[in-house]
Amino acid sequence: MNDMIYKGIWVVSAIIMIIYYARRKHTVRSALSGMLSGGAALILLHYFGDNLGYAPPVNLFNTAVSLVLGVPGAALIMAVNLI
């Protein structure tokens, strides 16, 4: 059940982010800054997450979530694994 909720939240969030990026004046620049901030947040959580209680591995799924959703995606990964 938790997996279905997690995947549903991920899909809805991805659609919201795509719509958000599409409506921006500088679409590519906005998307790249969101992707870079999400990747940086994932790397920071990977190296310093032990202090917070969970250090997510840098794998394909976590990288895709943090690149598509940005910082909220990295926070979502952290929140789901702390519960």
Side-chain angles (χ1 to χ4, degrees):
M1 180 68 177
N2 287 339
D3 291 339
M4 289 176 44
I5 293 171
Y6 180 67
K7 289 177 185 177
I9 291 172
W10 192 83
V11 168
V12 169
S13 299
I15 291 170
I16 290 170
M17 292 305 291
I18 289 169
I19 292 170
Y20 172 75
Y21 288 143
R23 292 186 179 184
R24 300 284 297 195
K25 183 177 180 182
H26 300 286
T27 303
V28 175
R29 188 181 313 165
S30 177
L32 285 177
S33 66
M35 292 170 70
L36 287 175
S37 65
L42 179 65
I43 296 298
L44 286 173
L45 280 176
H46 176 70
Y47 287 112
F48 300 111
D50 287 333
N51 297 335
L52 299 173
Y54 177 72
V58 179
N59 57 24
L60 184 61
F61 180 76
N62 289 342
T63 304
V65 169
S66 65
L67 289 179
V68 170
L69 301 179
V71 175
L76 184 64
I77 292 169
M78 186 73 174
V80 167
N81 288 306
L82 286 179
I83 295 176

